[in-house]
Amino acid sequence: MTVSRKIGIAALALVASTSAQALEKVSFGTNWVAQAEHGGYYQALADGTYEACGLEVEIKPGGPQANNRILLPAGKIDFLMGGNMLQAFSAVEQGIPTVVVAGHFQKEPQILMTHPGEGLDTWDSLKGIKLLLGKGGLNSFYQWMKAEFGFTDEQVRPYTYNSAPFLADKQIAQQGYVTSEPYAIETEGGFTPNIFLIADYGYDTYSTTVETRADLIETKPEVVKCFVDGSAIGWVNFLYGDNSKALEMIKKDNPGMSDGQLAFSIEKLKEYGIVDSGDTLTMGIGAMTDERQKSFFDKMVKAGVVKPDVDYTKSYTLDFVNAGVGVDLKKKLTGN
């Protein structure tokens, strides 16, 4: 029996029996402390969307003292918020039995930003200046920038997640996330930086993925389907509906999160189509395609980030996405 067929039969059974038995308890580990970038999951929890299809979901925030990635293959959590597909490719290479089942960010939110009015207003203008990059960025997207566009190692300066050097030097660029660092620059520096979203220049990985174990897909596909569909609906409601309860849950889990930062992050998620753009408009939030996966894999091989013999097709499955979940709900909420 195919996985898709099993999903259909099992999902019906789960829905039919939800009222007669206890909810299935599952845990979801995020990749950082609670923030707007996790909003769809908190929304699905706050709205009872997960519960409606039979799940009792516990969100376990990540952070500097947590390592949820290790807990997933160990069976300590059931779902994991991944970064991008590079982690999934690495899992295949290392023989770790985890699989990406949804891509909730259609665009990697990684950016470079520059000062306005300094002649650094185009992608090409970045090639001759210093770039503040963290080690992770240097070993991933910057290798692609070098291979694809001719950026050089000589341009790189270490980024210590302190924006003071960027604020002090108007002829330097800094990495960041479109939902975060620009807000810090606006509030601390008093100006709006130029933003270069690397996804818009061809870095076409899915980001904020949902990963689970291969054995959970095999033994409880209805649980995976419920979590993926519930999360998609959660994201639609978070972006286009009343998200007040989700925001309160986020602030409860992360008391240091400000209303200003939350509002800014949601605005940028929408403005740049991070969650909802391209394929998701018809296939539903979380959509993935084989073509996109191959495109990104090929780019990473060319850049020397991933070995060419890695079987990247084992890193993900399309069995739980692309069914248009949430598309009609969005139309109802937005009128479009």
Side-chain angles (χ1 to χ4, degrees):
M1 183 181 294
T2 67
V3 171
S4 296
R5 175 65 172 163
K6 286 168 65 179
I7 291 169
I9 295 173
L12 288 173
L14 183 67
V15 172
S17 61
T18 296
S19 61
Q21 64 182 33
L23 298 173
E24 179 90 17
K25 293 183 178 181
V26 298
S27 53
F28 173 55
T30 68
N31 56 12
W32 196 242
V33 295
Q35 51 194 291
E37 293 88 331
H38 306 168
Y41 314 107
Y42 280 95
Q43 185 79 29
L45 189 59
D47 286 348
T49 305
Y50 291 133
E51 185 176 348
C53 65
L55 298 185
E56 180 181 332
V57 176
E58 177 187 7
I59 295 178
K60 294 187 174 182
Q65 306 303 319
N67 195 339
N68 285 331
R69 176 156 294 278
I70 291 177
L71 299 182
L72 179 64
K76 302 299 184 181
I77 59 175
D78 302 294
F79 298 96
L80 172 72
M81 180 190 299
N84 62 38
M85 290 305 300
L86 284 177
Q87 294 171 328
F89 297 161
S90 178
V92 172
E93 185 177 13
Q94 297 175 52
I96 299 172
T98 56
V99 182
V100 171
V101 293
H104 285 131
F105 281 12
Q106 292 295 292
K107 296 182 180 182
E108 168 71 62
Q110 184 70 59
I111 63 166
L112 293 173
M113 56 184 181
T114 62
H115 288 253
E118 298 295 327
L120 303 175
D121 307 310
T122 67
W123 183 252
D124 284 342
S125 71
L126 305 181
K127 292 182 181 179
I129 66 171
K130 293 178 289 185
L131 306 173
L132 294 171
L133 301 176
K135 185 176 180 181
L138 176 62
N139 293 330
S140 58
F141 67 82
Y142 194 64
Q143 299 307 307
W144 162 78
M145 289 171 61
K146 287 163 51 181
E148 197 75 16
F149 298 102
F151 287 84
T152 66
D153 288 329
E154 290 70 29
Q155 294 180 250
V156 177
R157 301 293 185 276
Y159 175 46
T160 60
Y161 299 92
N162 177 355
S163 292
F166 174 75
L167 291 171
D169 188 343
K170 294 183 178 181
Q171 289 294 312
I172 199 168
Q174 179 195 302
Q175 77 170 76
Y177 284 98
V178 70
T179 51
S180 182
E181 275 77 3
Y183 179 75
I185 298 304
E186 289 186 17
T187 54
E188 296 172 22
F191 66 91
T192 300
N194 297 325
I195 291 175
F196 302 90
L197 187 73
I198 64 172
D200 288 342
Y201 297 91
Y203 194 73
D204 55 355
T205 181
Y206 296 107
S207 185
T208 302
T209 60
V210 170
E211 300 180 34
T212 191
R213 296 184 305 279
D215 69 277
L216 190 62
I217 292 174
E218 180 63 28
T219 61
K220 296 183 177 181
E222 74 283 357
V223 169
V224 179
K225 181 66 172 172
C226 177
F227 186 82
V228 170
D229 286 355
S231 298
I233 293 169
W235 272 112
V236 172
N237 281 317
F238 183 75
L239 293 173
Y240 306 113
D242 179 0
N243 58 19
S244 57
K245 291 182 180 179
L247 294 178
E248 287 305 313
M249 292 180 71
I250 289 171
K251 289 191 289 184
K252 182 179 179 181
D253 276 356
N254 182 10
M257 179 58 64
S258 71
D259 290 333
Q261 177 68 77
L262 288 167
F264 180 89
S265 297
I266 294 169
E267 176 189 347
K268 295 306 175 184
L269 288 173
K270 292 181 179 180
E271 178 183 349
Y272 285 89
I274 301 298
V275 177
D276 193 18
S277 61
D279 291 330
T280 69
L281 301 180
T282 56
M283 298 162 65
I285 288 174
M288 300 186 295
T289 68
D290 292 325
E291 292 76 16
R292 273 277 300 271
Q293 297 285 21
K294 184 179 188 304
S295 172
F296 182 65
F297 176 77
D298 289 345
K299 289 173 182 176
M300 293 302 97
V301 170
K302 179 182 176 182
V305 177
V306 179
K307 295 178 181 178
D309 60 351
V310 172
D311 186 358
Y312 75 94
T313 63
K314 293 182 178 178
S315 68
Y316 69 96
T317 176
L318 305 182
D319 283 334
F320 303 94
V321 290
N322 303 346
V325 173
V327 172
D328 289 341
L329 175 60
K330 177 188 173 183
K331 293 178 181 178
K332 180 179 179 180
L333 291 172
T334 64
N336 298 319

